[in-house]
Amino acid sequence: MSTRRSILDEIKKRDICLILSLGGTRQMAAHYIGCTVRTIRNAAKSDLAFADKLAKTEISPEVKFLKNIIDATNDSKNWRAATWALERMYPERYARRRPETIPVAQLRDVVDYLVKMAMEQAPDTQDPKTLRATLKTLAHQSLARSASKNNR
């Protein structure tokens, strides 16, 4: 039984972790040290300490950036950092959207309404084609009603 020795010595592993700690990718790190991403993955499988270090290092830029944002939001003059954080952490509530888009919660309400109406209009329908046609009709009616409300 032959065991292959990893081409990743401690210096190369350190370099990989350094690149990842800056926000680089495994692909970037592999290219830099002259190996493949598979080599890094295999080294992590055979060296649990390295695997743990990789996992922690890969998330460290995100943690660092979040801390910087939080620190900036504590400065009342830097309201943009707080806005940026809210837009990305809670996009459903705070992210900018184009006027013609609707939030997911509102879309769920529309779908719930359409299903309810379809079931009321075709309560005993077992045929998927009939139900689909009913839903399509209701969807067109709902869109027309919504468009007329927006044009008022």
Side-chain angles (χ1 to χ4, degrees):
M1 180 172 146
S2 71
T3 55
R4 285 197 299 184
R5 209 172 130 240
S6 174
I7 64 166
L8 299 182
D9 58 20
E10 292 307 311
I11 293 171
K12 289 180 180 179
K13 288 178 183 178
R14 188 195 69 222
D15 288 347
I16 291 167
C17 289
L18 175 63
I19 291 167
L20 296 175
S21 74
L22 298 172
T25 63
R26 286 188 184 195
Q27 179 67 43
M28 187 185 298
H31 181 74
Y32 179 79
I33 65 162
C35 71
T36 65
V37 174
R38 174 184 259 162
T39 301
I40 296 172
R41 187 173 42 249
N42 290 341
K45 284 181 185 175
S46 64
D47 180 351
L48 296 180
F50 179 55
D52 185 53
K53 180 78 171 162
L54 278 177
K56 289 178 180 170
T57 304
E58 284 177 311
I59 200 162
S60 68
E62 185 176 355
V63 171
K64 201 179 333 180
F65 297 148
L66 283 173
K67 184 185 178 319
N68 288 343
I69 291 166
I70 296 303
D71 290 347
T73 61
N74 290 332
D75 175 6
S76 62
K77 294 177 186 174
N78 200 345
W79 59 270
R80 284 185 179 92
T83 302
W84 183 92
L86 287 171
E87 287 175 350
R88 280 147 186 87
M89 293 170 68
Y90 308 104
E92 282 301 311
R93 293 191 299 243
Y94 298 103
R96 292 181 183 178
R97 63 179 65 83
R98 295 194 325 245
E100 68 273 9
T101 61
I102 63 171
V104 172
Q106 190 176 352
L107 182 60
R108 283 190 190 112
D109 290 344
V110 169
V111 170
D112 289 345
Y113 171 77
L114 290 174
V115 170
K116 178 183 170 203
M117 295 305 295
M119 298 311 290
E120 287 176 7
Q121 292 189 20
D124 298 326
T125 302
Q126 295 294 320
D127 179 24
K129 287 182 183 178
T130 304
L131 187 57
R132 188 177 302 116
T134 303
L135 284 170
K136 189 174 182 180
T137 301
L138 288 168
H140 287 295
Q141 290 171 356
S142 178
L143 287 172
R145 191 170 53 243
S146 177
S148 69
K149 283 182 185 177
N150 289 338
N151 290 332
R152 290 183 192 164

